[in-house]
Amino acid sequence: MTVAALAPVAGKPRTRWKEPSILPGFPLAMGWTLTYLGLIVVLPLAALVLRPWEAGLHGVWATLTEDRVLAALRLSFGTSLLAALTNVPLGLMVAWTLTRYEFPGRRIVDAFVDLPFALPTAVAGIALTAIYGPTGVLGEQFAQFGLKTAYNPIGIYIALLFIGLPFVVRTVQPVLQDLDREVEEAAQTLGATTFQRFRMVVLPAVLPALISGFSLAFARAVGEYGSVIFIAGNMPLKSEIAPLLIVIKLEQYDYAGAATVGLAMLVISFGALLGVNFLQIFLARRGRA
Amino acid sequence: MNFRQADDTSSATALEIKGVSKAFGRFPALKNVSLQAKDKEFLALLGPSGSGKTTLLRVLAGLEKPDAGEVRFGDEDFLALPVRRRKVGMVFQHYALFRHMTVAQNIAFGLTVRKRSEKPSKSEIADRVNHLLQLVQLEGLDKRFPSQLSGGQRQRVALARALAIEPKMLLLDEPFGALDAQVRRELRRWLRELHDRAGVTTVFVTHDQEEALDLADRVAILKDGELVQLGAPNEVYEHPANPFVFDFLGQACRLRGVVEGARLRVADWESAAPTGAPQGAVEVFFRPDEVAFAPADGAGLAAEVKGVAQRGPDVRIDCLVEGAPMELVGHGPTLPPGVTPGLSVRIKPLRPQVYAAG
């Protein structure tokens, strides 16, 4: 075997650590990225994962099976899910109105959508409580029909609706804007009714964005604290959310217990987001494959 | 292959557009346009961008509501029908396919959205789709998604989708505009064949005069929202109604001249004036390839040859005619030997068109 025959073989199997690029500074950028992510994301999460076991497997199990913890988790995830699901059609409608119609004050209405983003959550909580509380403008009206809109899970639901809406609107809006009008017109010329046009042409196009918006709103709602605690009433077993329970456990110096609840939330949230991602990949593949 | 039952009762005129006007805000897109299309005719709407041709097509589809005028198809008042009841097959420039549906689902769309009482059975739909796939030569691609097809294939899917509803009329909005020249020419021929086989009245919008002249039975030329000329391709090419049409349908050379009686005089060259030419000062138009060359001491317009450049089969001749620069086109092998840079020749326009000087 000659040297010439060997040469290409020798060069080939070496997998390269990094493809040459015209952009300089890869080692620095990569190093900084890893350090930053490690410090800000991975390290705290690792601490959260490690902390509960201080109390031993038994301690973790005992905390997780506490009625109060189970009720809080159920409440947090239940109301978050419900609120995010409600925000999907409502947010779609808002986004639709803002993208499809020209009307005076459209930009102002558009700016209003961002308010839940911008407002400090505590301010939002106080404002919502003032309005939906038993003596509030709306709370009073609802009370006449025997509907209590504060200091119970309904109050929590209202707060989560409020903070989740912009997530759905802002993810769907650009997709609606980019939607090719000609495609809808094609459907129209082919005989589709308005409803068929929406269901068979518009909805499939915005579905991935809707799911994204849903998962963002859901994730935010699960972690929401400030706006909820004012309106929730915070009664153990009834209207006490999981993040509040963590704070309570921390105040009682039960660090392992707090971390246990936190870990449970992490696992459930992670599972939910994973599921949503798989759904999205499936949908994306259906349209491209 | 017949898509529609032969219409025995149909009169000569299928589509009738009468005095249609449409303005977008202050911009008048269509001004009092009237024209007819015969049954099974292939009509091209030709014009530069902003001429209103697409607006007119969208009025026919019902996607735009005219401010005034009438549109009738057969004995139906088209304007009274909503888009989805007009049964027109529309093909858009950018295909407008449903991205999340397969080719087969795209083609079947118009059938699947029908009311239950009018909807064909699943197997009938599948048969129709297969038949259409064959017609547009896309057999075997039924399970693909639009993103997996080339531009030409996508446009054929769009056409099959439009034909699936057995349209009364086929409307095509610059269907080949987004395709490259080679594919364009192929699809053009194929579309014409398809039209002849399907026997459906077709209105075709384009800004490409070659496409319009090559494809259509009749060409309607629009400018600034007005119908400028309507006629068979040869008619409009050989007798353009005005300088705009002449210019738009091909390259143009223009000179000033005078018509007196039946004689046309340009500088020191005189010939018979075309029939119907206006009297007095005129503008003379001719195609750069419709000239005869003569020796410098012969009859014709004095031309000084500046440069000769071979362009494939054609030869581009840059010259000064009566002092004005002009670009003529000759055919290599038939070019007289006198046509070389630096020499003077005489040229005679073979088919000059004459318009009153504006």
Side-chain angles (χ1 to χ4, degrees), chain B residues 112-173:
Chain B
T112 49
V113 296
R114 284 195 188 162
K115 273 190 296 194
R116 190 158 297 167
S117 56
E118 294 165 16
K119 200 195 297 197
S121 73
K122 269 215 172 96
S123 64
E124 279 172 320
I125 291 181
D127 283 349
R128 183 90 60 82
V129 168
N130 279 331
H131 175 75
L132 283 161
L133 279 170
Q134 233 171 51
L135 189 76
V136 299
Q137 296 158 11
L138 291 176
E139 297 106 316
L141 298 185
D142 52 330
K143 297 216 167 54
R144 298 267 192 104
F145 286 94
S147 54
Q148 297 168 294
L149 302 178
S150 71
Q153 288 172 328
R154 286 184 211 182
Q155 200 52 293
R156 281 185 278 163
V157 174
L159 199 61
R161 182 179 68 175
L163 287 171
I165 59 168
E166 301 182 313
K168 289 187 248 180
M169 184 164 58
L170 200 53
L171 304 176
L172 305 135
D173 186 6

Side-chain angles (χ1 to χ4, degrees), chain B residues 91-119:
Chain B
V91 175
F92 296 85
Q93 180 176 1
H94 298 290
Y95 328 125
L97 294 176
F98 308 123
R99 291 205 321 224
H100 57 284
M101 295 184 197
T102 62
V103 167
Q105 286 168 332
N106 262 286
I107 296 175
F109 185 87
L111 303 173
T112 49
V113 296
R114 284 195 188 162
K115 273 190 296 194
R116 190 158 297 167
S117 56
E118 294 165 16
K119 200 195 297 197

Side-chain angles (χ1 to χ4, degrees), chain B residues 213-282:
Chain B
L213 296 176
D214 187 21
L215 258 175
D217 294 322
R218 283 195 306 156
V219 181
I221 296 155
L222 287 106
K223 184 195 178 224
D224 298 332
E226 279 171 306
L227 181 68
V228 192
Q229 194 173 6
L230 174 67
N234 261 344
E235 238 171 274
V236 293
Y237 187 75
E238 279 165 25
H239 304 286
N242 60 27
F244 165 77
V245 178
F246 194 102
D247 212 24
F248 192 70
L249 289 181
Q251 286 171 292
C253 298
R254 65 166 76 189
L255 289 167
R256 293 193 161 273
V258 178
V259 174
E260 273 163 358
R263 303 298 290 172
L264 165 67
R265 206 179 65 236
V266 182
D268 61 346
W269 172 65
E270 234 190 74
S271 76
T275 42
Q279 295 291 310
V282 290

Side-chain angles (χ1 to χ4, degrees), chain A residues 6-228:
Chain A
L6 266 172
V9 182
K12 205 177 146 201
R14 244 184 76 198
T15 32
R16 304 192 61 153
W17 166 241
K18 154 183 118 64
E19 289 297 316
S21 153
I22 50 160
L23 276 176
F26 173 75
L28 185 66
M30 187 65 182
W32 174 244
T33 304
L34 289 182
T35 313
Y36 187 69
L37 276 179
L39 279 176
I40 301 292
V41 180
V42 180
L43 212 61
L45 283 184
L48 180 63
V49 173
L50 293 177
R51 196 78 199 246
W53 314 106
E54 283 171 8
L57 196 61
H58 177 76
V60 171
W61 183 250
T63 310
L64 281 181
T65 48
E66 254 175 57
D67 280 350
R68 195 172 167 190
V69 172
L70 283 177
L73 286 174
R74 209 180 299 128
L75 181 71
S76 264
F77 284 97
T79 47
S80 297
L81 184 69
L82 212 59
L85 282 177
T86 318
N87 267 331
V88 165
L90 293 181
L92 177 60
M93 215 160 70
V94 173
W96 180 271
T97 310
L98 289 176
T99 47
R100 283 309 175 90
Y101 304 105
E102 232 3 280
F103 53 89
R106 191 175 62 93
R107 302 185 74 131
I108 297 173
V109 176
D110 195 77
F112 275 142
V113 172
D114 281 332
L115 273 186
F117 271 152
L119 228 52
T121 51
V123 177
I126 292 166
L128 285 172
T129 312
I131 291 185
Y132 286 98
T135 56
V137 184
L138 287 175
E140 237 175 3
Q141 303 300 317
F142 282 119
Q144 285 179 350
F145 303 104
L147 192 67
K148 241 183 102 195
T149 52
Y151 312 131
N152 64 1
I154 295 179
I156 301 174
Y157 172 68
I158 290 172
L160 296 182
L161 275 186
F162 172 82
I163 56 117
L165 182 69
F167 289 94
V168 177
V169 177
R170 289 296 179 236
T171 44
V172 173
Q173 217 173 356
V175 179
L176 273 180
Q177 231 143 23
D178 285 348
L179 206 64
D180 192 356
R181 292 303 291 269
E182 280 189 353
V183 176
E184 282 173 69
E185 287 174 349
Q188 231 178 328
T189 60
L190 291 167
T193 61
T194 310
F195 176 70
Q196 283 171 326
R197 234 161 75 210
F198 177 76
R199 191 176 63 81
M200 301 173 77
V201 178
V202 179
L203 203 56
V206 298
L207 197 58
L210 269 180
I211 294 172
S212 285
F214 165 80
S215 58
L216 285 174
F218 176 72
R220 171 71 193 264
V222 168
E224 183 59 19
Y225 179 78
S227 62
V228 176

